[in-house]
């Protein structure tokens, strides 16, 4: 295999400008799934991917998913399903990624235009979606192209599933994956997802667990319209006052979730599990670098990693309807919606968490004696996932990491969520591997999101090499 894989690697190097250009085109499409006004751009991004895939000789389908449940006026963006190769003598790998991105505005504090890929002299490539998840998604396409141009036989059949609503809880996808487990994906031998990050900046990792994410809205309304605080302050009960008291009842400064009953559902940490955290290369310095500050809850790496991977966390994200512009507007908002989410872990159950959250918020509000109106509801939910890394799929990826990066990967879990991972595992009955491309300093979801050129180019080699090692692995 060595000469073949070497030919592929040098072709990736030769095509690097072309691959960066492909990423620039993708980043230039502002495919923000959470903003209704951007929906045409999300759809445009699906077509961009489909066209690129067709040019590479893949067979492609754009599958409609119907209307968006919480906004029935709006069509969900299509899922891009594609197949490259159909050789019965080869293994078939199903890869998943997402082509939607988080919102981004220059005014949020970006140093460059968020929807323009800005490649610096130092090799950092800034742009929304560069690392999450357009770079990794294009990695698969680039790996196909480099094989073609290097005249190297593609080692597996590749099934691809790229969605456009991941950043909004993978709306509409679950049913399709459940149905296609024995349909479009029937001949998949294993699944690979490239949509997370290394723990630091030097050492790649393979990931075998994710937290889930239940995202909530707490809506409080009172007056019929926004009011003048000089005229009505002290006269009307203010929705914002009630809301901040509710939000303050959810979590403390040290990350302790204050909702009764939440921690009771968490599986106890076993002695064996504890030891897993000892060998992982991760330092508080790396964490401070990724954080851009030293404001960590814990002072040691083990507690930090456990808090990220193994325990739930509650984050307060924002308040819709509140005054948030610079300056000093003397307004009393009439209706405000607080947004918060809970990252859930084994053995928490989505429905049980929803019930406990609703009870806590309603009970807390009842103690205020407020005349305002309260509603609390889940906006979207997603399950946790934990798999076994003792499988040829992980072995192949580990060999690929060693080949491309010259080190053995860490085996990690992940604090973030990819809601559909568990559904892939259950519907196909196959092993699922997470094989990240980007590093801990990439700033996914943040301002100045970036992907290092080195991670992108070596990442394309990594994805290709993984497929070669998959082809070589004996059956388990
Ligand atoms: C890990 C992945 N790249 C990611 O960013 N996932 C999102 C998915 C999400 C959004 N709402 C709920 N889940 C995340 O972890 O926030
Ligand atoms: Zn992602
Ligand atoms: Zn994301």
């Amino acid at each position: 295999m060595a000469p073949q894989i070497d030919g592929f690697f040098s072709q990736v190097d030769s095509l690097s400008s072309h691959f960066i250009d492909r990423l620039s085109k993708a980043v230039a499409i502002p495919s923000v799934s959470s903003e209704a006004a951007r929906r045409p751009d999300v759809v445009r991004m699906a077509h961009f991917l489909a066209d690129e895939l067709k040019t590479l000789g893949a067979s492609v389908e754009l599958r409609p998913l119907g209307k968006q449940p919480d906004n029935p006026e709006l069509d969900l963006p299509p899922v891009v399903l594609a197949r490259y190769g159909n050789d019965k003598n080869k293994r078939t790998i199903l890869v998943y990624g997402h082509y939607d991105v988080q919102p981004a505005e220059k005014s949020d504090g970006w140093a460059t235009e968020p929807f323009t890929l800005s490649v610096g002299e130092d090799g950092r490539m800034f742009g929304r979606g560069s690392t999450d998840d357009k770079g990794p998604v294009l990695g698969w396409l680039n790996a196909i192209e480099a094989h073609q141009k290097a005249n190297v036989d593609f080692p597996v059949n590749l099934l691809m599933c790229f969605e456009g609503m991941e950043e909004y809880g993978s709306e509409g996808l679950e049913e399709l994956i459940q149905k296609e487990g024995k349909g479009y994906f029937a001949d998949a031998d294993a699944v690979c997802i490239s949509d997370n990050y290394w723990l630091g900046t030097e050492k790649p990792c393979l990931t075998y667990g994710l937290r889930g994410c239940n995202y909530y809205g707490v809506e409080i309304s009172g007056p019929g319209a926004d009011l003048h605080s000089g005229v009505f302050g002290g006269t009307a009960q203010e929705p914002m006052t009630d809301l901040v008291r509710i939000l303050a009842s959810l979590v403390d400064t040290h990350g302790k979730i204050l909702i009764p009953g939440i921690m009771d559902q968490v599986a106890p940490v076993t002695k064996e599990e504890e030891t897993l955290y000892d060998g992982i290369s991760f330092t508080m310095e790396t964490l401070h670098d990724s954080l851009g500050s030293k404001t960590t809850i814990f002072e040691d790496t083990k507690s930090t990693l456990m808090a990220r991977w193994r325990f739930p966390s509650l984050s307060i994200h924002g308040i819709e309807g509140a005054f948030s512009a610079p300056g000093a507007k003397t307004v009393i908002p009439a209706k405000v919606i607080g947004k918060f989410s809970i990252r859930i872990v084994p053995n928490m159950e989505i429905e049980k968490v929803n019930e406990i959250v609703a009870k806590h918020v309603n009970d807390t509000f009842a103690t205020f004696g407020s005349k305002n109106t309260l509603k609390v509801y889940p906006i979207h939910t997603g399950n946790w996932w934990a798999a076994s890394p003792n499988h040829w799929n992980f072995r192949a990826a580990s060999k690929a990491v060693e080949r491309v990066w010259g080190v053995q990967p860490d085996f990690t879990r992940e604090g973030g969520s990819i809601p559909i991972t568990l559904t892939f595992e259950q519907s196909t009955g196959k092993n699922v591997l997470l094989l990240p491309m980007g590093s801990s300093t990439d700033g996914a979801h943040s301002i100045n999101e970036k992907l290092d050129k080195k991670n992108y180019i070596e990442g394309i080699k990594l994805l290709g090499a993984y497929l070669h090692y998959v082809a070589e692995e004996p059956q388990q």
Side-chain angles (χ1 to χ4, degrees):
M1 182 233 278
Q4 278 210 315
I5 212 165
D6 288 341
F8 160 65
F9 284 177
S10 39
Q11 192 64 50
V12 172
D13 288 326
S14 310
L15 291 171
S16 61
S17 308
H18 169 57
F19 293 155
I20 291 169
D21 188 49
R22 183 174 270 149
L23 183 58
S24 301
K25 287 184 185 143
V27 167
I29 303 173
S31 50
V32 179
S33 49
S34 61
E35 291 172 5
R38 296 282 203 191
R39 190 55 50 89
D41 292 314
V42 186
V43 175
R44 191 151 61 91
M45 184 64 207
H47 285 274
F48 168 80
L49 276 179
D51 291 346
E52 294 287 297
L53 280 160
K54 280 180 200 159
T55 307
L56 291 170
S59 56
V60 187
E61 288 178 34
L62 288 178
R63 289 281 184 94
L65 288 179
K67 301 285 179 194
Q68 183 165 319
D70 64 356
N71 189 351
E73 312 273 276
L74 208 55
D75 282 319
L76 288 165
V79 174
V80 180
L81 291 181
R83 169 183 276 280
Y84 183 71
N86 202 354
D87 181 340
K88 294 276 169 276
N89 297 315
K90 290 179 179 174
R91 274 204 167 117
T92 299
I93 296 297
L94 166 60
V95 301
Y96 158 89
H98 63 92
Y99 61 81
D100 63 319
V101 297
Q102 287 279 323
E105 300 290 339
K106 178 95 184 347
S107 58
D108 294 340
W110 282 72
T112 57
E113 284 299 330
F115 295 106
T116 302
L117 190 76
S118 305
V119 186
E121 290 285 304
D122 56 4
R124 290 188 297 170
M125 305 192 294
F126 292 96
R128 176 56 93 222
S130 53
T131 194
D132 184 15
D133 184 31
K134 290 179 175 176
V137 163
L138 294 183
W140 297 111
L141 278 65
N142 297 337
I144 293 174
E145 187 172 5
H147 277 85
Q148 291 175 345
K149 298 220 162 113
N151 241 329
V152 173
D153 185 41
F154 204 70
V156 299
N157 304 311
L158 202 62
L159 286 171
M160 288 159 271
C161 175
F162 300 134
E163 70 152 319
M165 283 301 279
E166 197 269 353
E167 300 291 11
Y168 201 75
S170 291
E171 291 280 19
L173 187 63
E174 185 155 343
E175 268 177 30
L176 180 136
I177 306 297
Q178 271 162 358
K179 181 166 151 265
E180 298 303 342
K182 300 286 172 262
Y184 200 90
F185 309 139
D187 60 339
D189 293 301
V191 183
C192 180
I193 299 177
S194 187
D195 181 25
N196 66 308
Y197 322 97
W198 301 356
L199 260 184
T201 52
E202 301 299 322
K203 198 163 179 219
C205 62
L206 307 182
T207 305
Y208 61 92
L210 290 160
R211 295 196 290 185
C213 185
N214 283 10
Y215 201 110
Y216 300 97
V218 186
E219 183 179 311
I220 304 195
S221 51
D226 288 2
L227 302 172
H228 187 307
S229 67
V231 179
F232 295 103
T235 309
Q237 292 194 337
E238 301 192 16
M240 191 72 162
T241 309
D242 290 342
L243 181 62
V244 293
R245 292 179 72 193
I246 285 177
L247 295 179
S249 76
L250 300 174
V251 65
D252 76 11
T253 303
H254 309 289
K256 183 174 175 212
I257 299 177
L258 305 173
I259 303 172
I262 287 283
M263 294 308 287
D264 302 349
Q265 297 182 49
V266 177
V269 178
T270 62
K271 283 252 165 333
E272 191 195 353
E273 216 183 329
E274 288 237 17
T275 60
L276 290 176
Y277 291 83
D278 297 328
I280 291 178
S281 30
F282 179 63
T283 63
M284 292 309 281
E285 287 70 40
T286 314
L287 179 62
H288 294 152
D289 265 3
S290 326
L291 208 64
S293 76
K294 292 191 174 169
T295 54
T296 47
I297 290 179
F298 298 100
E299 302 306 325
D300 66 295
T301 53
K302 188 167 177 174
S303 312
T304 299
L305 288 179
M306 283 196 147
R308 183 189 289 186
W309 298 346
R310 189 54 178 77
F311 294 117
S313 60
L314 189 153
S315 302
I316 298 171
H317 303 294
I319 299 179
E320 191 179 324
F323 167 59
S324 66
K329 187 178 178 189
T330 51
V331 68
I332 298 172
K335 179 172 118 178
V336 279
I337 309 172
K339 311 276 177 78
F340 68 95
S341 70
I342 302 180
R343 298 285 170 169
I344 61 170
V345 297
N347 296 323
M348 295 170 80
E349 289 172 30
I350 289 175
E351 287 308 323
K352 237 187 198 167
V353 174
N354 289 347
E355 278 166 32
I356 288 177
V357 166
K359 179 171 175 3
H360 170 77
V361 171
N362 282 307
D363 289 355
T364 304
F365 184 68
T367 66
F368 301 165
S370 173
K371 292 179 183 165
N372 289 324
T373 305
L374 166 86
K375 282 187 207 157
V376 53
Y377 45 85
I379 294 177
H380 57 71
T381 59
N383 223 332
W384 49 266
W385 165 75
S388 165
N390 298 320
H391 190 275
W392 58 257
N393 199 24
F394 278 80
R395 236 177 9 246
S398 182
K399 287 178 187 164
V401 167
E402 277 197 74
R403 179 69 184 260
V404 173
W405 291 101
V407 286
Q408 288 191 342
D410 276 328
F411 284 75
T412 64
R413 290 163 74 135
E414 161 81 44
S417 315
I418 306 173
I420 211 66
T421 311
L422 180 66
T423 318
F424 272 115
E425 187 179 275
Q426 290 172 340
S427 79
T428 61
K430 304 295 176 182
N431 181 268
V432 183
L433 151 81
L434 263 59
L435 180 57
M437 183 182 260
S439 83
S440 66
T441 52
D442 284 356
H445 293 206
S446 185
I447 56 166
N448 303 324
E449 175 181 347
K450 59 96 178 154
L451 176 63
D452 292 337
K453 189 173 159 188
K454 180 157 185 183
N455 282 59
Y456 184 47
I457 300 303
E458 299 308 299
I460 297 163
K461 294 180 192 168
L462 176 70
L463 299 183
Y466 153 70
L467 299 176
H468 278 273
Y469 286 110
V470 155
E472 280 191 347
E473 277 294 319
Q475 294 284 352
Q476 240 168 3

